[in-house]
Amino acid sequence: MKVLYQHLGLDPGRLTAVVHRLLEVRVEGVSLVAAVVGDLSCLRRCQWLLDRLGRSALRELRATLGERGVTLLLQLPLVIKESELDAAQELVTRWGRAFGGYVTGDLGMLSWLDGRAGVGGGVDPSRLVYTSNVVNPSFSQWLRERFDLWRVRPLMHKRTFIEEPVGYAKDVVVYGNMVLNCSTFCLHSGDLPDRCTLTCGQPRPMLMEGEGERVYLLGRSLVTRRRLDLRPRVSRIADLRSVTLMDLDLSLDELAAVYRSLGGAAGSAGGPGSDALRP
């Protein structure tokens, strides 16, 4: 089973510590192939993270992970507003060589990335993860004809979205903090870019009134403190080729235990898509 680790925070030290811990856990048939950083909803948080790291640190991080066979991916917002598209393209053009691929849910951005394949800073589509509920056969066929994606990742945790065959290699978030909502509106700055002070740097704990559920406000996203756990259903997921551990507040011991438990887990492999990210 191929595993991706996705860090929802903005701490590169945490990312490195988790990757090193997981690589210490030797499990037959289980391999960590990618680490994902970035933000699910806000382009400014992505940019802030990259500026904070800097080019030399990013190159060092990618090289360190690469030596262990782990590819560094950047999570771009699931939805990129038209007013932010130019900034998103500029970010990729500037930082593209620091990453081995991208995760996005925005079809326009996906198409733009695909169109830049072979161009300086561009990305081969076989290094892209597209987050979407691909359940329509016509849409699935169109994707197969248009792109050679590495993975399709279901957006919503509904059985019909996750378990049904779609004719495409899947990556599924099977454990960790579940993202409840990704907004295009910023509660911190009133959605006005000139007011952005990045006060969202740290996750803000909240209580959902009426639901009694404790969540984090993470940029423009709401993330539950509860644990999503789909491991018992892994064998029922059609076209499954990799799984993701999504982490905001998981302990190293918890992550290691979950990683170890994936030994022997398997879905019904199938669908197009390379089995390994290209270097």
Side-chain angles (χ1 to χ4, degrees):
M1 176 63 67
K2 297 188 180 301
V3 179
L4 287 72
Y5 166 72
Q6 182 153 358
H7 178 45
L8 293 176
L10 299 175
D11 183 356
R14 163 72 174 176
L15 172 76
T16 304
V18 170
V19 169
H20 286 172
R21 177 63 180 275
L22 294 184
L23 289 173
E24 290 175 352
V25 181
R26 304 288 183 178
V27 186
E28 184 177 354
V30 178
S31 59
L32 183 68
V33 297
V36 187
V37 295
D39 194 86
L40 290 155
S41 59
C42 182
L43 194 65
R44 284 178 172 266
R45 278 174 61 88
C46 285
Q47 184 63 65
W48 183 83
L49 170 65
L50 299 179
D51 288 340
R52 177 187 175 193
L53 283 167
R55 288 186 185 280
S56 59
L58 262 176
R59 284 196 296 267
E60 183 178 346
L61 177 60
R62 183 178 178 183
T64 300
L65 296 179
E67 290 173 359
R68 307 297 297 272
V70 179
T71 301
L72 183 63
L73 305 179
L74 178 65
Q75 171 73 63
L76 292 166
L78 296 178
V79 177
I80 298 176
K81 295 186 289 188
E82 186 175 353
S83 60
E84 295 178 328
L85 186 57
D86 288 345
Q89 294 173 354
E90 181 181 345
L91 181 147
V92 171
T93 301
R94 180 183 178 192
W95 297 96
R97 295 188 183 278
F99 295 93
Y102 293 85
V103 184
T104 184
D106 191 274
L107 190 58
M109 192 65 189
L110 183 74
S111 181
W112 183 82
L113 288 166
D114 176 50
R116 289 180 55 81
V119 180
V123 178
D124 189 305
S126 65
R127 292 189 286 166
L128 297 174
V129 178
Y130 177 46
T131 304
S132 180
N133 296 321
V134 181
V135 293
N136 184 301
S138 298
F139 183 40
S140 178
Q141 181 179 349
W142 181 84
L143 279 177
R144 292 196 303 272
E145 293 173 351
R146 179 66 176 80
F147 304 105
D148 181 25
L149 303 174
W150 185 64
R151 294 289 190 269
V152 165
R153 178 190 285 179
L155 175 62
M156 299 175 64
H157 293 86
K158 185 177 179 182
R159 187 193 61 78
T160 53
F161 296 152
I162 292 177
E163 296 184 8
E164 295 299 314
V166 297
Y168 228 116
K170 288 181 193 170
D171 173 75
V172 174
V173 179
V174 296
Y175 191 89
N177 299 99
M178 183 168 63
V179 179
L180 301 177
N181 175 270
C182 281
S183 175
T184 59
F185 180 82
C186 180
L187 296 174
H188 302 271
S189 69
D191 211 34
L192 297 176
D194 58 339
R195 290 186 184 175
C196 178
T197 58
L198 285 167
T199 53
C200 59
Q202 296 299 320
R204 182 183 301 176
M206 301 175 64
L207 181 67
M208 293 180 66
E209 187 176 355
E211 302 293 332
E213 182 171 354
R214 297 190 179 276
V215 299
Y216 291 107
L217 178 61
L218 189 71
R220 299 176 182 177
S221 304
L222 285 178
V223 180
T224 182
R225 299 177 68 179
R226 292 189 301 168
R227 302 298 189 254
L228 166 75
D229 189 357
L230 297 182
R231 289 175 295 168
R233 305 193 70 86
V234 162
S235 62
R236 306 180 188 182
I237 301 175
D239 303 331
L240 185 67
R241 297 278 280 277
S242 62
V243 298
T244 289
L245 308 182
M246 193 82 78
D247 167 36
L248 180 61
D249 65 351
L250 280 62
S251 71
L252 291 179
D253 288 343
E254 182 179 0
L255 282 162
V258 171
Y259 187 82
R260 190 177 296 110
S261 74
L262 295 173
S268 51
S274 171
D275 198 41
L277 284 163
R278 298 178 186 176

